[in-house]
Amino acid sequence: MQLLRGAVRSYAWGSRTALARIQGRPVPSDHPEAEIWLGAHPADSAHVMHEGGSTPLLTLIDGDPGTQLGGSAQHYESRLPYLLKLLAAEEPLSLQAHPSSAQAREGFARENAAGVSIDSPVRNYRDPNHKPELIVALTEFEALAGFRRPADTVELLDALGVSALGGYRTLLAAQPDASGLRTVFTSWITLPGQALDDILPAVAQGCIDYLSGPARTDGGRFAAEARTLLELGESYPGDAGVLAALLLNRVTLSPGQGLYLDAGNLHAYLRGTGVEIMANSDNVLRGGLTPKHVDVPELLRVLDFEPADISAITPGVDDRPTYRYPTPAPEFALSRTSVAAGETVDIPGSGPRILLCTSGTVVAGTGGTAAGLSVPQGSSAWIPAADESVFVTADSGDAEVFVASVGTL
């Protein structure tokens, strides 16, 4: 077991304070910091620290996959199948979805055959893998995720009272299912610029009128949605993704709650700090709220339009000290362990694991030995498969750690 130095990724939507504060670095940072990658992704591997320097985790695994990955090496072609991240969003991320395994394999082969460079800005599939993901909130975390039940969207449109959306409201009321959602979404996402320039200000005015109170008769049921639409419209003027947001569930996670996103789920993180784990893939189909490449036909091929009530994964009161966040993804598993001051707790799981301390300081050890590795808040450790039994002790005060591991093979 060795300390792991993550790769800091700077994107415009990141924060100059959140990740630096967690890691005890000077605030504000020089640039917005959006993610810290803790894994062996070819685009930016974390580094394993050792006396005299560091080694990319990707290099360490390539040199001895059997010791580092154990039984998962053969199953996942000697690759670490998951990527763990610390994520901080101060502004909304792009509206996006990820393909299924079959869609990713087909799309990757198709773009290869067409001669699209792997690093081209118009490339959709950079690998042949799917990308299910799980976010667990460290602070209050806000997101758009999955298509809302059409009946509720009809009520939202009624509450906003935007006459320009009347025809879409009628269509959705008459066809309150996945087909109706597909028709409305496709219509909105392909609207020409002039039509968007006419509709979006009317939507913004409808939100302002709703929030001002006199026309509101539902107790402010859609206040969060209206505020979000105004914020998105201000950040992304003329973007069809603002209209698409009208169709999505708005979710607020409390610290400790999780949100799982499977293939085809249209979503956008809005703001907050969290721990994210995903299959080790970089396949993203964008639908708006971004200056990056948007491929509407390909997005429509992968989207799941089935409406769903999105539920947070919530730890129960009897799940201490360790809570495992259940998902169907075979590539990863994630747990959160609370450690009281002076307490020693066994770390769950086996195989290749990454331990991330998000509060306090823990001393991590293996095989029942007393000596251990100090892992302070914001730091992480690589646990190779060869280190079977791992425990942590809260060094001073209460602590919290997340452990990423391979899911069920």
Side-chain angles (χ1 to χ4, degrees):
M1 179 167 48
Q2 296 165 283
L3 284 175
L4 192 65
R5 186 184 72 228
V8 178
R9 307 280 288 189
S10 294
Y11 304 126
W13 50 264
S15 170
R16 292 178 181 269
T17 59
L19 299 183
R21 186 172 288 124
I22 288 174
Q23 293 194 322
R25 294 184 278 112
V27 173
S29 57
D30 292 336
H31 307 284
E33 296 177 341
E35 299 173 340
I36 298 177
W37 287 17
L38 301 167
H41 196 285
D44 215 346
S45 176
H47 280 63
V48 174
M49 311 303 294
H50 53 75
E51 189 173 340
S54 66
T55 301
L57 179 57
L58 185 62
T59 302
L60 189 69
I61 291 173
D62 287 345
D64 189 1
T67 297
Q68 300 299 324
L69 301 181
S72 65
Q74 183 175 2
H75 191 82
Y76 289 107
E77 300 178 340
S78 297
R79 297 171 58 252
L80 183 66
Y82 62 82
L83 175 62
L84 183 69
K85 298 180 181 180
L86 264 175
L87 179 147
E90 200 158 285
E91 297 180 7
L93 281 67
S94 62
L95 196 64
Q96 59 187 260
H98 309 299
S100 68
S101 292
Q103 291 165 341
R105 288 193 298 269
E106 187 277 331
F108 184 69
R110 173 164 34 91
E111 291 186 337
N112 282 347
V116 183
S117 171
I118 199 71
D119 58 356
S120 168
V122 300
R123 178 101 189 194
N124 293 313
Y125 299 94
R126 301 184 187 278
D127 55 66
N129 304 307
H130 70 161
K131 191 185 176 186
E133 60 190 37
L134 166 72
I135 184 80
V136 177
L138 294 178
T139 66
E140 185 173 88
F141 196 93
E142 299 173 358
L144 299 172
F147 288 96
R148 187 192 299 108
R149 291 190 305 119
D152 290 335
T153 296
V154 168
E155 292 184 21
L156 169 61
L157 296 177
D158 287 342
L160 298 183
V162 180
S163 59
L165 298 181
Y168 302 108
R169 182 259 182 222
T170 300
L171 188 156
L172 203 55
Q175 197 172 7
D177 55 20
S179 295
L181 286 167
R182 174 183 284 275
T183 300
V184 172
F185 177 83
T186 303
S187 298
W188 286 352
I189 207 73
T190 56
L191 281 174
Q194 184 58 55
L196 285 171
D197 290 342
D198 292 339
I199 291 178
L200 289 175
V203 172
Q205 188 59 54
C207 292
I208 292 170
D209 292 343
Y210 176 79
L211 291 171
S212 66
R216 192 168 66 191
T217 60
D218 59 2
R221 174 186 173 192
F222 297 112
E225 285 82 353
R227 284 194 295 268
T228 295
L229 288 165
L230 288 172
E231 292 167 2
L232 294 178
E234 184 175 344
S235 298
Y236 300 97
D239 195 311
V242 179
L243 278 182
L246 278 164
L247 301 174
L248 302 180
N249 294 291
R250 192 186 182 286
V251 182
T252 299
L253 302 178
S254 298
Q257 290 186 316
L259 177 65
Y260 176 72
L261 300 167
D262 210 342
N265 186 306
L266 188 64
H267 63 280
Y269 296 153
L270 299 175
R271 64 177 59 83
T273 302
V275 175
E276 186 181 33
I277 190 168
M278 61 189 64
N280 199 1
S281 170
D282 197 25
N283 290 325
V284 179
L285 283 304
R286 297 178 178 87
L289 309 181
T290 178
K292 294 183 179 180
H293 175 59
V294 175
D295 186 336
V296 171
E298 196 64 27
L299 176 68
L300 293 174
R301 279 166 49 87
V302 308
L303 279 184
D304 181 359
F305 286 95
E306 285 296 328
D309 292 322
I310 299 296
S311 299
I313 305 172
T314 303
V317 295
D318 297 326
D319 294 317
R320 298 190 179 195
T322 294
Y323 178 75
R324 295 169 176 81
Y325 292 85
T327 79
E331 290 86 357
F332 62 78
L334 187 68
S335 67
R336 178 173 61 88
T337 299
S338 300
V339 191
E343 181 182 16
T344 297
V345 176
D346 291 333
I347 288 301
S350 59
R353 286 165 285 174
I354 294 174
L355 182 149
L356 169 64
C357 181
T358 55
S359 178
T361 297
V362 297
V363 175
T366 63
T369 60
L373 182 71
S374 179
V375 185
Q377 176 177 301
S379 298
S380 57
W382 168 246
I383 305 171
D387 291 349
E388 296 182 357
S389 175
V390 179
F391 64 90
V392 295
T393 302
D395 191 36
S396 58
D398 297 343
E400 178 181 79
V401 296
F402 284 80
V403 176
S405 61
V406 180
T408 303
L409 295 178

